[in-house]
Amino acid sequence: MEEKSNKIMGNFHIGHSQHWEAATGCTVVICPKGATAGVDVRGGAPGTRETDLLNPVNLVDKIHAVLLAGGSAFGLDAAGGVMRYLEEKGYGFDAKVAKIPIVCSAVLFDLPVGNAQIRPDASMGYKASLNSEKNCFQVGSIGAGTGATVGKLKGYHRAMKGGIGYGALQSGALEVSALVAVNALGDVIDSGTGEILAGLRTEDGKGFAETEKIMIGNREENKVSLNGNTTIGVVMTNGIGTKSQMTKIASMAQNGIARSIRPSHTMVDGDTIFAMSSGDIEADTSLMGVMAAIAVERAIIDGVTKAEDLAGIPCAKTFKTSLF
């Protein structure tokens, strides 16, 4: 794992919490004073919470956090802990009788990797929120990326570790960053070189089998029925954007998944990207979308290259070493 600064444009804070033995966890991105947000869901098997609120025609204008979690649909419970934390701090949508923190969430399927009976819950979400107060966070096999895996067309015995990664870039005063938990059916590719970084291994364990090639080569034998996937993430920017604009940026950010994961957006992936704006800098929507796609691509590569072996599943670093 690698440690990164938590001073992301001054308005966003990232925190993790996990259960190592159960190989699951959650990650929260908090913007205490509220962020304008949008979402784009591409995969056919999503697990989400409060995404309807992000529709531009609906009332709530800002959200206060996005939670990424393992545990499949069970992991949505962790958002309750984030709400508790924000309420204690006095943040939320003012409904007169109470301030209601708006916490959106997406989950990934990691139940087969560790102990399926232990999943992210409200206490884990609360702890992740507390950890967001630190001035640093880690990437790799931690938080929502703890039990993440990739290359699962032939089952977990030939899969590799995924993880959670971070990517960022800047254009003048405009900053765009992405945090992505990589848990895909497909292989993770370095689009610059075409090299597979992590994915489906060959039967002898000495190379990569190339998921897309196998799927195309024998369509009957390789009918995809495995549902243990989903890549989920958050784009953060200090650029000003409306809900409609942030939705477009989230949509363009999905290009980062398509560039680096093959195949992506399948019926057994629930690929979901949120976009959050702290609203400080005037910026062009298309420019922010282009930067978001690059940030997502970098975050995906960061997540798998910083991952570590867990539950008998090898990471990219271990696998590459074993080939030489």
Side-chain angles (χ1 to χ4, degrees):
M1 288 181 287
E2 180 179 294
E3 200 166 85
K4 298 180 183 286
S5 170
N6 202 8
K7 295 180 180 179
I8 305 166
M9 294 168 282
N11 295 312
F12 297 99
H13 309 280
I14 294 171
H16 300 302
S17 183
Q18 56 283 316
H19 191 295
W20 299 115
E21 290 76 19
T24 193
C26 65
T27 298
V28 66
V29 177
I30 292 179
C31 187
K33 295 183 179 179
T36 307
V39 67
D40 187 271
V41 181
R42 294 284 175 90
T48 58
R49 177 186 190 273
E50 297 280 41
T51 52
D52 284 350
L53 284 175
L54 302 183
N55 188 317
V57 305
N58 290 335
L59 173 66
V60 173
D61 214 23
K62 294 182 181 293
I63 68 171
H64 303 92
V66 170
L67 180 80
L68 309 177
S72 189
F74 296 109
L76 293 171
D77 283 349
V82 181
M83 287 189 70
R84 175 188 156 202
Y85 169 85
L86 289 166
E87 184 181 28
E88 290 176 355
K89 297 290 185 180
Y91 297 113
F93 174 77
D94 191 354
K96 306 305 179 184
V97 294
K99 285 190 176 180
I100 305 172
I102 307 301
V103 180
C104 298
S105 181
V107 293
L108 56 81
F109 189 95
D110 58 3
L111 298 178
V113 180
N115 185 341
Q117 302 306 309
I118 298 175
R119 311 107 178 192
D121 56 13
S123 62
M124 191 180 287
Y126 186 82
K127 185 175 180 181
S129 301
L130 289 174
N131 288 336
S132 74
E133 297 175 2
K134 300 177 181 179
N135 62 2
C136 61
F137 67 97
Q138 292 179 313
V139 293
S141 302
I142 195 168
T146 303
T149 49
V150 298
K152 289 167 281 190
L153 183 67
K154 293 294 185 178
Y156 284 83
H157 65 290
R158 287 172 59 182
M160 290 179 64
K161 272 295 284 124
I164 193 162
Y166 180 75
L169 64 161
Q170 189 166 349
S171 177
L174 176 65
E175 299 176 77
V176 178
S177 62
L179 187 74
V180 182
V182 189
N183 187 59
L185 169 74
D187 307 321
V188 176
I189 312 291
D190 182 335
S191 62
T193 64
E195 176 190 5
I196 299 177
L197 301 174
L200 175 64
R201 293 172 288 152
T202 55
E203 288 188 35
D204 63 8
K206 296 182 178 180
F208 291 110
E210 297 188 49
T211 298
E212 286 187 331
K213 184 181 291 187
I214 290 179
M215 290 177 68
I216 294 168
N218 193 332
R219 66 183 182 89
E220 293 299 329
E221 179 184 341
N222 295 298
K223 182 178 180 182
V224 179
S225 59
L226 192 68
N227 62 352
N229 310 294
T230 295
T231 294
I232 51 180
V234 186
V235 169
M236 297 154 277
T237 181
N238 61 348
I240 296 172
T242 64
K243 288 171 73 174
S244 295
Q245 290 169 325
M246 298 315 296
T247 299
K248 181 59 178 176
I249 290 166
S251 173
M252 293 180 70
Q254 291 271 12
N255 293 335
I257 293 180
R259 291 173 188 166
S260 53
I261 299 176
R262 301 177 190 170
S264 55
H265 307 142
T266 73
M267 286 300 293
V268 294
D269 287 291
D271 301 335
T272 300
I273 297 289
F274 296 91
M276 302 173 72
S277 164
S278 62
D280 300 319
I281 304 294
E282 292 284 351
D284 178 74
T285 303
S286 294
L287 171 60
M288 289 191 285
V290 168
M291 292 173 69
I294 296 170
V296 166
E297 183 177 10
R298 290 179 179 178
I300 289 169
I301 293 172
D302 190 51
V304 298
T305 56
K306 302 295 169 47
E308 297 178 344
D309 295 355
L310 190 69
I313 300 174
C315 66
K317 291 179 288 187
T318 300
F319 186 65
K320 188 173 183 178
T321 302
S322 71
L323 299 180
F324 297 97

